[in-house]
Amino acid sequence: MRKSIVIFSLGLAAAMALPALAAEVAVLDWRQALFTSDAAQRSMSELESRLSGQQQEAQSLGQELSQLQQRLQQEGDTLPDAERRTLVQEFQQKGSRFEQLRQQIMEEQRSAEEAFLQQAEPKLEQAVEQVIERHGVEVLVEPQGVLHSERDLPNLTSEVVEILNSLN
């Protein structure tokens, strides 16, 4: 009799402990999950190949601008006025083109990121829902949103990345 009460008590304690094993509160870095996914890597590669010509031109212009600036600083006072004006004009033209390229590259990056986020958002939501259901999560927080926790919270980010990669 005593043995069965002990077994029953242990079984009851184990049954009561099961809900406590569920990840009631968990952490998800959705930005990391999204931007480390295979789809994000593909999108970045496509963007880099699209922009490679502009980036090379901008890098080349940057080097030329640096050389022109050094020459103007070192020899500016000793150069004839016409040559100095020509160098200053060249510096201004190249600087203008450099700024134009920089703006174009930034706009392309912003546009590509926006398009990626718009396309990826439904898949991210689907992946997050699957992980929430799988782990019985009641509260999902971002890493930056955790001010204090007595215990380490389960981090579901890598699992969301796996699901995101499988949805492509």
Side-chain angles (χ1 to χ4, degrees):
M1 177 80 172
R2 190 170 231 207
K3 189 175 182 181
S4 61
I5 290 176
V6 169
I7 292 175
F8 176 75
S9 296
L10 286 174
L12 184 60
M16 291 175 64
L18 283 178
L21 294 177
E24 294 168 352
V25 179
V27 175
L28 171 65
D29 187 338
W30 66 269
R31 288 172 196 83
Q32 179 187 352
L34 199 56
F35 289 109
T36 58
S37 69
D38 293 344
Q41 300 307 311
R42 280 192 306 276
S43 179
M44 289 297 292
S45 291
E46 290 168 8
L47 178 64
E48 285 174 10
S49 68
R50 247 188 359 256
L51 295 178
S52 67
Q54 290 174 317
Q55 288 174 327
Q56 287 174 350
E57 183 181 353
Q59 186 177 11
S60 178
L61 278 171
Q63 291 170 349
E64 291 175 33
L65 285 167
S66 179
Q67 291 169 353
L68 282 171
Q69 184 178 25
Q70 282 179 342
R71 183 167 179 213
L72 283 168
Q73 286 174 345
Q74 292 171 355
E75 304 172 24
D77 294 336
T78 61
L79 291 173
D81 285 344
E83 191 176 345
R84 189 173 69 243
R85 278 194 300 272
T86 303
L87 284 175
V88 167
Q89 186 178 20
E90 183 182 354
F91 182 82
Q92 289 171 339
Q93 287 173 344
K94 289 184 181 201
S96 178
R97 176 65 181 145
F98 179 82
E99 183 60 27
Q100 180 186 27
L101 282 170
R102 191 181 72 75
Q103 290 292 330
Q104 287 174 347
I105 290 169
M106 287 175 49
E107 178 59 28
E108 281 278 336
Q109 289 172 331
R110 186 196 61 72
S111 178
E113 185 175 306
E114 223 173 77
F116 170 74
L117 288 173
Q118 211 169 27
Q119 170 265 328
E121 187 177 356
K123 291 179 181 177
L124 176 64
E125 288 176 10
Q126 183 180 356
V128 170
E129 284 300 319
Q130 285 182 25
V131 170
I132 286 172
E133 286 179 32
R134 182 179 302 148
H135 291 278
V137 174
E138 293 175 9
V139 178
L140 188 61
V141 296
E142 293 183 297
Q144 305 88 320
V146 178
L147 298 177
H148 174 76
S149 177
E150 291 292 319
R151 61 185 171 101
D152 287 340
L153 300 176
N155 188 336
L156 305 177
T157 305
S158 60
E159 194 169 337
V160 169
V161 172
E162 286 177 32
I163 294 171
L164 275 173
N165 290 341
S166 72
L167 294 175
N168 294 322

